[in-house]
Amino acid sequence: MAPLRCLLQLLPALALAFGPAAGESLALGEALELTDELWEAEGLPGDLPELEPECRRLLVAFAEDSAALTDCLGRRARPVRLCQDCHRHYRRLLSRYGDIARTFGNSSESHNCAKSILTSDRLQVVVTLSEFFNETWEAANCANCLKNSSEGLSNSTVEFLDLFNKSLTCFEHNLQGQTIYLSPNNYTEVCKNCNETYKMLNDLYNSLQRMNRKGGESGHSAHLCIDVEDAMNITRKLWSRTFNCSVPCSDTVPVIAVSSFILFLPVVFYLSSFLHSKQKKRILILPKRIQSNASLVNIQEKYS
């Protein structure tokens, strides 16, 4: 059918090139009329090879969902909000791809959409797009932000994002209140008033990391999802670099005690070694003194 379509497109040009020699039967007007008639004739669709209507519907739906997911990923790239804002688009795309793939190998179907859409050419655009989205989603570890059914954010993620928003609100509120009276590089009020909120956020993040290593709510043991990691990185940079704040470590006393003990061990070792060697010398010398005293007593008795 494709060569015929090309031939139809070339008919007007052939009429112009060979009109005088080919006779009056292929005049330009007749060639154009013949082309239109053949083009509109039944059995010569303009989009060859054509898919079955159901397969076309599945392909269009997959294309629309792919565009929606791509738009969501691009808009939520910075700051990273991929998992919390795009998980519905991703689930919908998986469902569309599943609808296409389920028809594969089903001989009872009059038309095999999976074979026509997924494996009919070397490039396999639909498969390539699906693999790209899956790899992106797995690299972002979005499963660690979602419930096991991926229907929404997990409770721990919701709690973390709530504390994150409170921390940013606290930063903004205290910055607005102190810029009138203090220099731009002095963020004492921010460090003082937001210390508790930041500490709670930091502690929750560390707790999520420990829980995730053991396999938390999502059942996936890997990094935290990119949304949570990026939010914590932003907050820590603001706290330590921009505001130059610090949080006193609750384990300072035990760390100092253990460090002092380790540093003092060589002194204890050498002192004990010195005392032990000195005591050993005394033990060795003591019998000689006893023997010399005994000899002196014998001499005295001999001459008495």
Side-chain angles (χ1 to χ4, degrees):
M1 302 296 290
L4 177 58
R5 180 180 179 181
C6 295
L7 179 61
L8 294 177
Q9 293 175 337
L10 289 175
L11 280 178
L14 291 174
L16 287 175
F18 302 103
E24 298 298 331
S25 61
L26 277 180
L28 179 58
E30 295 178 356
L32 291 173
E33 184 179 353
L34 177 61
T35 301
D36 292 336
E37 291 176 358
L38 290 175
W39 196 258
E40 295 173 359
E42 202 172 318
L44 291 176
D47 193 15
L48 296 176
E50 185 60 80
L51 290 172
E52 295 288 341
E54 178 63 18
C55 298
R56 171 64 62 183
R57 184 190 66 81
L58 292 174
L59 181 59
V60 170
F62 179 86
E64 292 174 349
D65 291 336
S66 298
L69 180 56
T70 302
D71 179 73
C72 183
L73 294 177
R75 291 178 182 273
R76 273 71 175 181
R78 292 304 309 163
V80 181
R81 299 291 185 271
L82 306 184
C83 304
Q84 53 189 304
D85 291 344
C86 303
H87 65 90
R88 293 183 181 86
H89 296 288
Y90 180 69
R91 285 180 55 216
R92 191 178 299 113
L93 183 73
L94 289 181
S95 177
R96 297 298 187 192
Y97 187 83
D99 292 340
I100 297 174
R102 269 193 293 271
T103 63
F104 187 81
N106 191 351
S107 57
S108 62
E109 294 275 348
S110 60
H111 51 270
N112 194 325
C113 295
K115 185 176 180 181
S116 301
I117 298 174
L118 303 181
T119 61
S120 61
D121 57 81
R122 177 178 60 83
L123 189 57
Q124 300 180 1
V125 175
V126 173
V127 176
T128 302
L129 285 174
S130 178
E131 290 177 352
F132 166 75
F133 289 124
N134 289 333
E135 291 172 0
T136 302
W137 200 254
E138 291 174 4
N141 291 304
C142 287
N144 290 321
C145 277
L146 306 174
K147 297 177 182 178
N148 288 332
S149 58
S150 298
E151 294 180 354
L153 298 176
S154 62
N155 295 332
S156 58
T157 304
V158 173
E159 182 182 1
F160 175 86
L161 293 176
D162 181 60
L163 273 176
F164 170 68
N165 291 329
K166 288 181 179 178
S167 299
L168 295 184
T169 302
C170 183
F171 295 163
E172 183 179 3
H173 176 74
N174 285 274
L175 282 174
Q176 291 175 352
Q178 77 171 31
T179 50
I180 301 176
Y181 306 100
L182 300 177
S183 62
N185 294 327
N186 191 337
Y187 300 105
T188 307
E189 292 298 317
V190 176
C191 300
K192 177 182 176 181
N193 297 332
C194 302
N195 178 71
E196 187 64 27
T197 306
Y198 175 78
K199 188 176 183 300
M200 291 173 59
L201 179 69
N202 193 62
D203 290 345
L204 178 58
Y205 181 80
N206 293 333
S207 175
L208 290 176
Q209 281 188 317
R210 290 191 297 269
M211 182 177 63
N212 198 60
R213 294 189 189 103
K214 300 176 183 178
E217 297 177 50
S218 64
H220 295 76
S221 180
H223 293 287
L224 294 174
C225 74
I226 190 62
D227 292 29
V228 172
E229 289 183 345
D230 186 69
M232 195 68 234
N233 288 337
I234 290 174
T235 312
R236 284 175 172 173
K237 287 179 181 179
L238 287 173
W239 185 259
S240 60
R241 297 183 184 179
T242 304
F243 304 142
N244 198 25
C245 303
S246 61
V247 176
C249 182
S250 58
D251 298 331
T252 301
V253 175
V255 169
I256 293 176
V258 172
S259 301
S260 302
F261 175 76
I262 294 175
L263 291 174
F264 194 66
L265 278 179
V267 178
V268 174
F269 173 76
Y270 287 113
L271 183 59
S272 61
S273 299
F274 173 75
L275 294 176
H276 181 71
S277 61
K278 189 174 182 181
Q279 183 67 23
K280 193 171 184 180
K281 286 181 180 180
R282 288 178 180 178
I283 295 173
L284 293 174
I285 293 173
L286 185 59
K288 293 182 180 180
R289 290 179 180 178
I290 295 175
Q291 186 177 2
S292 61
N293 292 335
S295 302
L296 181 59
V297 171
N298 292 333
I299 294 173
Q300 290 176 352
E301 288 179 352
K302 185 177 179 180
Y303 287 99
S304 60

